[in-house]
Amino acid sequence: MNMVDIIQKKKEGRALSDDEIRWFVDGYVSESIPDYQISALLMAIYFKGLSKEETFCLTDAMRHSGDTVDLSPVSGIKVDKHSTGGVGDKTTLVVAPLAAALGVPIAKMSGRGLGFTGGTVDKMESIPGFRTSLESSEFLDQVNTIGMSVIGQTAHITPADKKLYALRDVTATVDSFGLIASSIMSKKLASGSDAIVLDVKVGNGAFMENQHDAEILAELMVEIGNNAGRRTVAVITEMGQPLGKAVGNSLEVIEAIETLKGKGPADITELAERLSGIMIYLGGKAKTPEEGLEMAKEALADGRGLAKLREFISAQGGNPKVIEDYTLFPQHSVQKEIYAESSGYVTGIEAGKIGLASQHTGAGRATKEEDVDLSAGICLSKKVGDKVERGQLLATLYGNDLFKLENAAITAAAAFKIEEKNVEKPKLIKKIIGL
Ligand code: URA
């Protein structure tokens, strides 16, 4: 086989065969095919697309490019959850304990944040002592004993996706349906759960900026999952404004804890209950998704979700006292407030700009090598639809470098739109596919 012929074929819009796809994936991982030829192929794929069959095959080739996780030592129907990435998305920290509290085994691998979307692993590392890296036997034992574990994804899972994603990032070829779907689903399939719930974000803070595109991506991922024998459901959710009020690592963990105490923002509470309800249903613990939702609401209201979070933090070496005492989290030394320059209603808070501003406070990284400031980030005082008076607080930025905060504040302030006439609050859950 020859890489030039494969690039030429895709450039002409013809479908690649299974053998050709597996050959270029293997060749890229084993370094017999150079970056420049794969870059050319990615650009051809970007313009000509991938058929469903090509996408299934690419997913499978990437899934088997490294280790796959065998969750068979864990009894029960294991259910995974994945978000396509948003600003302020701390849902995993609420959803996983709720589903686990109701007997659904959660054996989850999460990533670190890059760009303006945060990663669950960074968030969990803001808990003093918390270990995100466990031996596989420890990981499985923990799921069997307390019902859940969340760890960082190891380097040996889907190495093809790691290399391809890094190359896509620097060749402007990230935003392709087939490439996104195969990248996400190869990791989910390699991680071994029996069922998968996907939270597909739509809006200016997400990969998919409009509902139509989000639906195409969601349907494709659901098909890939089901085709591979894993029951898969996608929930399309709003990411025009940040989720909840906190953006930044420890700030988001605190908001997740508050949510499990029943005091969280309405949007994160609604989304967490809905997603865990579906997971409870897929995990065979409820007869319908509606019954799952009711069970999730009860587990949140009576504190079982919070108790499970406490158990989980302790099991992974973290200090569970953070649940009562937020001063145990890494602390900021400086803060900067943003005030409204006019009166009216908040009609928009661009999630993308808040994400960028949060990254500039030190809470996010622009390159994989950068360290994050676990105390840094932004707390919103207003959400879309809220009334605001001139001079009222819109948001507070936290961190350890005033110069960074002052720069970040300019971006954060530009995210807010204040108008005389109010708008309808955006619908959080837009569509569910695959139920
Ligand atoms: N997340 C992934 O893991 N891969 C993509 O391509 C996009 C988002």
Side-chain angles (χ1 to χ4, degrees):
M1 240 171 267
N2 173 331
M3 196 56 200
V4 177
D5 291 344
I6 291 178
I7 299 168
Q8 179 70 24
K9 195 170 173 188
K10 188 42 76 183
K11 191 177 84 176
E12 289 166 9
R14 289 186 286 138
L16 302 180
S17 69
D18 275 23
D19 286 348
E20 285 166 333
I21 292 173
R22 291 181 198 284
W23 181 82
F24 88 71
V25 170
D26 285 353
Y28 190 42
V29 174
S30 63
E31 298 186 349
S32 61
I33 303 174
D35 278 355
Y36 55 83
Q37 285 186 311
I38 299 291
S39 303
L41 178 63
L42 288 171
M43 194 53 87
I45 291 176
Y46 176 84
F47 281 113
K48 299 293 180 180
L50 291 171
S51 69
K52 256 182 210 157
E53 290 65 35
E54 287 175 289
T55 310
F56 292 166
C57 179
L58 178 58
T59 308
D60 193 63
M62 292 201 291
R63 166 187 174 186
H64 290 109
S65 63
D67 293 349
T68 53
V69 182
D70 175 13
L71 291 180
S72 61
V74 176
S75 49
I77 304 172
K78 281 76 68 182
V79 185
D80 200 353
K81 176 251 161 198
H82 180 83
S83 157
T84 57
V87 178
D89 187 2
K90 68 284 295 172
T91 339
T92 292
L93 297 170
V94 184
V95 159
L98 280 177
L102 286 151
V104 180
I106 307 290
K108 183 163 170 49
M109 293 194 174
S110 285
R112 291 187 185 280
L114 188 60
F116 61 65
T117 60
T120 303
V121 169
D122 298 312
K123 292 170 201 175
M124 294 190 306
E125 282 178 352
S126 71
I127 301 168
F130 194 95
R131 291 184 302 138
T132 54
S133 170
L134 302 182
E135 289 298 325
S136 86
S137 57
E138 205 182 346
F139 173 61
L140 297 174
D141 284 351
Q142 186 178 314
V143 184
N144 269 327
T145 47
I146 70 157
M148 73 174 283
S149 181
V150 185
I151 58 172
Q153 194 185 297
T154 73
H156 311 295
I157 306 261
T158 59
D161 174 61
K162 276 194 194 73
K163 286 195 77 177
L164 284 169
Y165 192 84
L167 195 60
R168 286 164 59 208
D169 208 22
V170 293
T171 54
T173 51
V174 169
D175 51 342
S176 142
F177 293 117
L179 294 177
I180 295 178
S182 55
S183 162
I184 292 176
M185 292 308 290
S186 64
K187 289 184 285 247
K188 292 292 106 184
L189 296 175
S191 305
S193 285
D194 306 301
I196 303 160
V197 177
L198 301 164
D199 180 2
V200 179
K201 302 288 186 196
V202 58
N204 69 66
F207 278 111
M208 298 295 133
E209 295 213 359
N210 64 67
Q211 171 104 11
H212 177 255
D213 287 354
E215 283 183 27
I216 294 177
L217 179 67
E219 274 163 15
L220 187 55
M221 291 196 290
V222 166
E223 245 185 291
I224 295 173
N226 289 333
N227 187 58
R230 311 286 173 86
R231 181 78 199 274
T232 306
V233 173
V235 184
I236 298 181
T237 70
E238 161 75 10
M239 188 35 73
Q241 65 172 333
L243 187 64
K245 292 187 167 175
V247 182
N249 300 294
S250 60
L251 301 174
E252 292 191 39
V253 179
I254 293 169
E255 189 165 80
I257 296 171
E258 285 288 293
T259 304
L260 285 167
K261 287 178 179 171
K263 297 186 285 187
D267 56 356
I268 171 88
T269 305
E270 180 189 347
L271 181 59
E273 288 174 342
R274 207 49 185 276
L275 293 175
S276 35
I278 296 171
M279 291 170 77
I280 293 161
Y281 165 66
L282 294 181
K285 302 293 174 189
K287 286 189 215 67
T288 61
E290 293 71 32
E291 189 186 26
L293 174 62
E294 287 316 308
M295 290 166 75
K297 283 184 177 174
E298 277 167 32
L300 193 148
D302 65 19
R304 273 176 292 159
L306 187 67
K308 188 54 73 183
L309 179 74
R310 190 187 305 276
E311 239 183 310
F312 161 62
I313 291 176
S314 299
Q316 286 189 219
N319 183 354
K321 293 200 179 102
V322 290
I323 289 180
E324 280 76 39
D325 183 358
Y326 299 151
T327 65
L328 294 171
F329 281 101
Q331 297 293 301
H332 62 271
S333 58
V334 282
Q335 66 184 68
K336 167 123 188 102
E337 288 80 15
I338 303 170
Y339 299 100
E341 287 181 356
S342 57
S343 299
Y345 293 91
V346 178
T347 56
I349 308 174
E350 259 186 72
K353 287 206 173 103
I354 296 291
L356 202 59
S358 168
Q359 186 184 331
H360 292 161
T361 63
R365 50 171 82 75
T367 64
K368 273 191 285 189
E369 291 71 32
E370 269 175 21
D371 281 334
V372 294
D373 178 346
L374 295 168
S375 75
I378 303 177
C379 278
L380 306 178
S381 299
K382 297 284 177 192
K383 293 272 290 183
V384 171
D386 288 350
K387 197 168 186 318
V388 63
E389 299 296 334
R390 184 166 183 257
Q392 254 190 333
L393 186 64
L394 291 177
T396 309
L397 287 77
Y398 300 100
N400 287 295
D401 181 333
L402 194 54
F403 181 68
K404 280 188 184 172
L405 293 198
E406 277 169 358
N407 271 329
I410 297 169
T411 310
F416 282 87
K417 194 164 161 199
I418 297 174
E419 292 179 300
E420 270 177 33
K421 209 165 164 286
N422 205 355
V423 288
E424 240 180 76
K425 286 203 185 212
K427 198 170 167 211
L428 180 66
I429 296 169
K430 298 182 183 296
K431 193 163 180 179
I432 300 181
I433 293 168
L435 257 191

